[in-house]
Amino acid sequence: MFSTISWVSLVLVLAGIVIHWFVSPSPRVTKREASEAGGGRPWSGCCGGKLSTLACVVALGSLAILFVTGFGGLLLLDEQIHGYTLMMHVGLAPVFVISAGVVVIAWGHRCRLDESDRIRLASLLCLKKPETTDTPNLGWKLTFWLGLALVVPVSLSMVLSMFPIFGTHGQETLLCIHQYTSLALTLVAMIHVHLVIRRKASPVPPPPPKK
Amino acid sequence: MAPSEDEVGDGDEEEVDTSELFRWEISGKYEINCLACHHADRKQNQSDAALQAAKENYRWATTVGSGLASVKGTASELEDFYDPEFDGHKIITSYDKSRFDSNNKVFLDIVRKPPSNRCYFCHSTQDLQTPGKDEWIHNEDIHMASGMSCSDCHRNGADHMISRGDIDPSKNPHGSDDYLKAYDLKKVGSFSCQGCHMGNPGADDPGARMGGHLGAPVPEHKGIPPVHFEKLSCTACHSGRLPTENTARVRTARMHKLGRHGPHGRISPQLPHVVTPVFARMANGKIGPHNMIWPSFWGTQANGVVKPLAPDLVREIAPDELGMEIAEPERVNDWIELTEKQIGNVLNLIGKYEWELEEGETEPKPVYVAGGRLYSLSNGFVISTNHDAAEPYKWPIAHDVRPAAQSLGSNGRCADCHDKNSPFIFGQVEVDTPIKPAEKQTVAMTEFGELDRSYFEMFAFTFLFRPWLKAVVIISCVLLGMVLLLFALKGLDVVVRAAGKKASDES
């Protein structure tokens, strides 16, 4: 069941990314314009500088390895993670969680939703057509927060199972939570990376003035 | 021994020795003794029945075992043509008059469900690590302690195919077709560990699907990842002796003739040495505890097949080499020690024995099996190799079941198994052999569980860092959660402000 859901969702998201890549116009601007607008790639040049960039790279790299080790056997061989793969998976998990912590501290302020994002989001939630279509930042910001929010259940579900708190049913539920939230996290991360790459040189609007 | 009428009528393949036909008239037939299990009277004593059987007093064994009478005389000592009409009664039965009422009627307390003490005559184990005066420290099986009896789980119908509590009978130890024929997972599976404690999903009976037979509690298994239930049998954590660095020894009722008393109770055999617990792969692929013996026998090998020789024949062939003339031979670790030179000499003598071979049959090669090795002669020298026939014989055990608190991994004790010194994985299994019996010879437990030792050593090593892992992940998650909460509250603040502004604008 989980294997089927994983395959279907991965294929759908990948297909969506490819279609989006070709169909939707990329909001590209020159680097100079982007710089003047106070923007740039969200992975560079602000907050913790090199450390925050490194944290981003480590988080994405470790997430990729965690995905391969966690889902590889299940999706390709239909067997649960075990042996040395499990050891690598568990060993890398704290690296990912720590780097996610650094990322949220370093990038949280920069990735908060501004006025235009809020208006766009409110329109989307109310199923209204937004007044302006020029909101290239909403997608990657939302996926940023969603991804980091998913890190919490992904991590806690496994750590809690290491304590003698939950019985067999609870353990199965925790494993289920871990699997599905991991899948969601991976999909969100893929979309996030796609959106960020697409807005490579697009301007990031300056933070709203304090009232 | 004379077969019972049922056995003869069934067309049993065992050939009947006609020379014993005369003896049957004297000894009587060794009938199935229903009272052995179903007689609830406390005077029922299978030890007495066994003594009568040893005397060939088969006809009287049931009566004596039931405690109704005592018998004097020994059938095995009587002539083949003994006739009580002419020779007088030499086997005399004396009934216990107090058991009979004024009408000469006797009450036999026959019960459908045998009391557990009846089962123990054949099915009990003695822990040799704490024998004699210290035996009192042992607890009995937790099910017995809670007031159950053997037959509560090991049930049977009129066919007397007693369920073993297994849920995978593909390789039943009896090799009995009848057992397999009578085996119905829908019913038998309901009285396995899983069936009673967690329910048998395949059962027809809705109650059996729910489990909880006789109040069996549903186990919580707190903190144990479900993968353990795929890899381990219930018995791995719950049954048998708690594992220690080296395996222990036990004696069993049937192998070591426990439970006998009186004249024949004085013989107290120590061999074969049964080592326990050995955590080995079971027929269903799971790991479970086993009792195990290392075979040791003289035999012959032809076309790769090893057949054991009767000990009497070997003693006859090589009496001097085996020291048969010594009345009280020196024993080391219960064994009469064998040297390689002795083995070579005996193999030579067996090789010279003139076998009655059929046409086309190849000359068998003499071999000796001990300590997991097959010894044979090659150019006059003794060599030892691995062979299936030398593999230890092991059988899964399920008793005594320990209480939950004494089960492996209970209450989150991962180190019971995932520690570099854990006997469950890294224990040593005693190799029992008459060759250098004074030396400690062992095999790693991982050999029997078919486990990768280096992997489990590394895995155990990672458990040193597990507390750190937990701390790091929890702290990171708390941090993440707090930052997320902070921004969520900020976002909420913006929403509230916007809503307030909109409301004031509208008014």
Side-chain angles (χ1 to χ4, degrees), chain A residues 1-17 67 71 75 180 183-184 186-188 190-191:
Chain A
M1 177 67 176
F2 175 72
S3 179
T4 312
I5 290 173
S6 302
W7 271 118
V8 170
S9 53
L10 280 169
V11 168
L12 283 177
V13 167
L14 280 172
I17 287 172
F67 173 75
F71 285 79
L75 298 186
Y180 282 100
L183 177 65
T186 308
L187 298 175
V188 167
M190 284 163 64
I191 297 168

Side-chain angles (χ1 to χ4, degrees), chain A residues 87-102:
Chain A
M87 248 190 272
M88 190 192 288
H89 189 84
V90 176
L92 210 55
V95 177
F96 169 70
V97 180
I98 291 170
S99 55
V102 175

Side-chain angles (χ1 to χ4, degrees), chain B residues 32 38 45 82 97 123 128 135 226 260 307 372 434 442 458 468:
Chain B
I32 290 173
H38 292 286
N45 189 341
Y82 162 74
K97 299 287 184 192
H123 304 282
L128 291 179
E135 276 188 346
R260 300 175 314 169
K307 287 181 181 173
T442 58
M458 195 184 287
W468 298 6

Side-chain angles (χ1 to χ4, degrees), chain A residues 83-84 87 90 94 97-98 100 104-105 108-109 112 118 145 148-149 151-152 155-156 159 161-168 171-172, chain B residues 220-226 229 411-412 452 454-455 458-459 462 466 469-470 472-474 476-477 479-481 483-484 487 494 498:
Chain A
Y84 290 102
M87 248 190 272
V90 176
V97 180
I98 291 170
V104 78
I105 292 168
H109 183 73
R112 72 195 191 284
R118 192 182 62 77
W145 288 113
L148 286 170
V151 171
V152 178
S155 312
L156 280 185
V159 167
S161 72
M162 293 175 186
F163 290 96
I165 301 169
F166 295 95
T168 305
Q171 291 277 340
E172 284 169 352
Chain B
E220 294 187 63
H221 290 135
K222 281 183 178 174
I224 297 178
F229 310 121
N411 203 24
D452 179 351
S454 53
Y455 165 74
M458 195 184 287
F459 195 56
T462 65
R466 187 160 278 215
L469 181 144
K470 290 176 186 173
V472 163
V473 173
I474 288 173
S476 299
C477 282
L479 193 68
L480 261 167
V483 174
L484 287 168
F487 281 96
V494 172

Side-chain angles (χ1 to χ4, degrees), chain B residues 35-348:
Chain B
L35 299 184
C37 300
H38 292 286
H39 192 206
D41 194 297
R42 295 175 75 89
K43 285 202 168 184
Q44 176 70 28
N45 189 341
Q46 280 309 109
S47 177
D48 286 345
L51 183 56
Q52 295 305 316
K55 292 177 174 178
E56 293 184 8
N57 291 349
Y58 304 138
R59 183 178 284 128
W60 298 269
T62 302
T63 310
V64 175
S66 70
L68 278 180
S70 57
V71 167
K72 281 185 181 167
T74 304
S76 63
E77 292 173 357
L78 299 177
E79 298 288 328
D80 284 353
F81 295 100
Y82 162 74
D83 186 338
E85 295 293 325
F86 294 100
D87 302 324
H89 289 278
K90 294 190 175 174
I91 299 180
I92 297 161
T93 309
S94 306
Y95 283 95
D96 180 355
K97 299 287 184 192
S98 67
R99 305 286 297 276
F100 296 82
D101 66 11
S102 56
N103 297 319
N104 267 344
K105 287 183 179 175
V106 65
F107 172 69
L108 290 174
D109 189 7
I110 306 294
V111 290
R112 187 182 176 280
K113 201 171 89 172
S116 295
N117 281 340
R118 296 289 164 273
C119 309
Y120 292 157
F121 273 113
C122 300
H123 304 282
S124 55
T125 303
Q126 182 190 30
D127 188 330
L128 291 179
Q129 265 49 47
T130 48
K133 64 184 176 65
D134 286 334
E135 276 188 346
W136 61 271
I137 66 167
H138 290 292
N139 291 317
E140 58 181 349
D141 188 291
I142 190 66
H143 297 95
M144 296 298 163
S146 67
M148 293 172 68
S149 68
C150 306
S151 49
D152 283 326
C153 298
H154 299 289
R155 300 183 184 193
N156 61 275
D159 59 4
H160 282 77
M161 288 295 162
I162 299 170
S163 69
R164 298 180 58 245
D166 50 357
I167 52 171
D168 187 4
S170 57
K171 286 188 179 176
N172 76 79
H174 312 296
S176 160
D177 288 340
D178 289 337
Y179 181 79
L180 290 177
K181 240 183 275 175
Y183 186 90
D184 181 357
L185 186 61
K186 286 179 180 176
K187 294 173 190 158
V188 177
S190 303
F191 300 96
S192 61
C193 309
Q194 192 183 321
C196 278
H197 288 278
M198 302 170 84
N200 178 13
D204 289 332
D205 176 26
R209 287 201 291 271
M210 294 174 188
H213 288 296
L214 305 168
V218 177
E220 294 187 63
H221 290 135
K222 281 183 178 174
I224 297 178
V227 68
H228 289 75
F229 310 121
E230 294 167 20
K231 310 256 182 202
L232 303 171
S233 70
C234 305
T235 52
C237 304
H238 293 279
S239 298
R241 203 174 188 279
L242 269 170
T244 47
E245 187 183 352
N246 290 290
T247 47
R249 285 184 191 170
V250 291
R251 297 200 306 163
T252 71
R254 295 175 74 179
M255 235 184 286
H256 299 93
K257 302 178 173 62
L258 304 179
R260 300 175 314 169
H261 49 81
H264 64 161
R266 291 187 203 116
I267 306 162
S268 183
Q270 299 297 316
L271 291 173
H273 290 150
V274 180
V275 295
T276 192
V278 179
F279 292 97
R281 193 75 63 177
M282 297 166 75
N284 60 7
K286 293 183 178 181
I287 291 175
H290 292 68
N291 281 353
M292 193 173 88
I293 56 172
W294 292 88
S296 177
F297 61 88
W298 300 96
T300 56
Q301 185 179 22
N303 302 320
V305 179
V306 173
K307 287 181 181 173
L309 289 173
D312 285 344
L313 178 63
V314 182
R315 287 187 200 112
E316 188 186 314
I317 294 171
D320 297 336
E321 286 301 331
L322 294 172
M324 297 313 299
E325 78 283 358
I326 305 170
E328 290 289 330
E330 187 189 350
R331 287 182 179 267
V332 181
N333 196 12
D334 301 323
W335 289 100
I336 301 168
E337 187 171 356
L338 270 180
T339 61
E340 284 209 3
K341 188 183 170 194
Q342 269 178 299
I343 294 171
N345 291 342
V346 176
L347 290 178
N348 261 322

